[in-house]
Amino acid sequence: MVGDILTRAWYALHTKSRFENVVNEGLTKRNLDVFLPKITVKSRRKDRHKMIRVPLFPGYVFVRTDLNPYEHVEILKITGAVRLIGSTRGPVSIADATIDSLKIMVGTGEEVITGTQFKKGDRVIVVNGPFAGVTGVFSSYRGDGRVIVNIKALGQFAAVNVHADDVEKLPEILS
């Protein structure tokens, strides 16, 4: 927004966990411009060996709005919507070129590689495999998609070698 002139721009809307599709449908029903980039990945469940469509950015959808007060409230009233991402001064817009690039990336059907870069010292949790539920501290990358996680127990550290896809960064509030 510039002065009193409302201009339409893209914003990232944070959603409740796994509510991306619900929010996308709710915004679409209200005739708002919404974009939920999805990619095709192999299911990580042991009982399935199929390809599934998942959000490129779990927990987020993109919405185009001019942030007039009525529309802003309507967006936040959608079931599963949490808040528009921004700073203390308000929501921060995303460049149209960025959204256009994302649309091209997910529209090609080609593989899009995503992931979280861990930094040494990040608090993490193992979410799959024999160490599922174990929390620790990220140590290093080993190659071949493997990472080292240090676990503190009895005043000592033990290190485990797990697949990077089986590790997630703990939110700051849980660290």
Side-chain angles (χ1 to χ4, degrees):
M1 292 189 317
V2 178
D4 291 341
I5 300 171
L6 298 175
T7 57
R8 296 189 76 70
W10 287 100
Y11 296 89
L13 175 62
H14 184 64
T15 68
K16 289 182 180 177
S17 180
R18 301 178 195 261
F19 269 75
E20 301 90 353
N21 290 319
V22 173
V23 172
N24 184 47
E25 290 172 19
L27 292 170
T28 301
K29 285 180 183 175
R30 286 190 167 79
N31 293 322
L32 294 167
D33 287 337
V34 61
F35 175 51
L36 174 57
K38 289 187 173 185
I39 57 173
T40 303
V41 297
K42 186 175 179 181
S43 174
R44 289 179 24 173
R45 293 189 181 176
K46 292 180 181 179
D47 63 333
R48 290 190 216 165
H49 297 290
K50 64 180 187 176
M51 301 301 279
I52 57 174
R53 303 249 321 138
V54 298
L56 178 61
F57 303 109
Y60 297 93
V61 298
F62 298 98
V63 62
R64 188 174 176 86
T65 179
D66 61 7
L67 288 183
N68 74 62
Y70 174 77
E71 196 169 84
H72 192 170
V73 170
E74 286 299 308
I75 290 169
L76 297 178
K77 285 181 8 185
I78 299 288
T79 302
V82 176
R83 66 184 172 91
L84 291 170
I85 302 302
S87 65
T88 56
R89 295 179 58 191
V92 176
S93 65
I94 298 168
D96 287 346
T98 300
I99 299 297
D100 292 342
S101 295
L102 287 172
K103 287 180 178 180
I104 292 168
M105 285 174 57
V106 298
T108 63
E110 295 293 319
E111 181 180 18
V112 177
I113 299 170
T114 64
T116 304
Q117 279 293 110
F118 299 113
K119 297 186 302 277
K120 187 172 182 138
D122 282 347
R123 299 269 306 141
V124 296
I125 185 168
V126 180
V127 293
N128 288 315
F131 298 107
V134 171
T135 59
V137 177
F138 173 77
S139 176
S140 63
Y141 285 96
R142 295 274 302 177
D144 292 331
R146 309 290 290 178
V147 296
I148 301 292
V149 176
N150 290 331
I151 296 134
K152 186 176 181 181
L154 302 173
Q156 297 181 359
F157 278 100
V160 293
N161 182 350
V162 294
H163 198 279
D165 290 344
D166 294 338
V167 177
E168 290 182 2
K169 186 174 176 184
L170 281 172
E172 294 294 323
I173 194 164
L174 299 176
S175 295

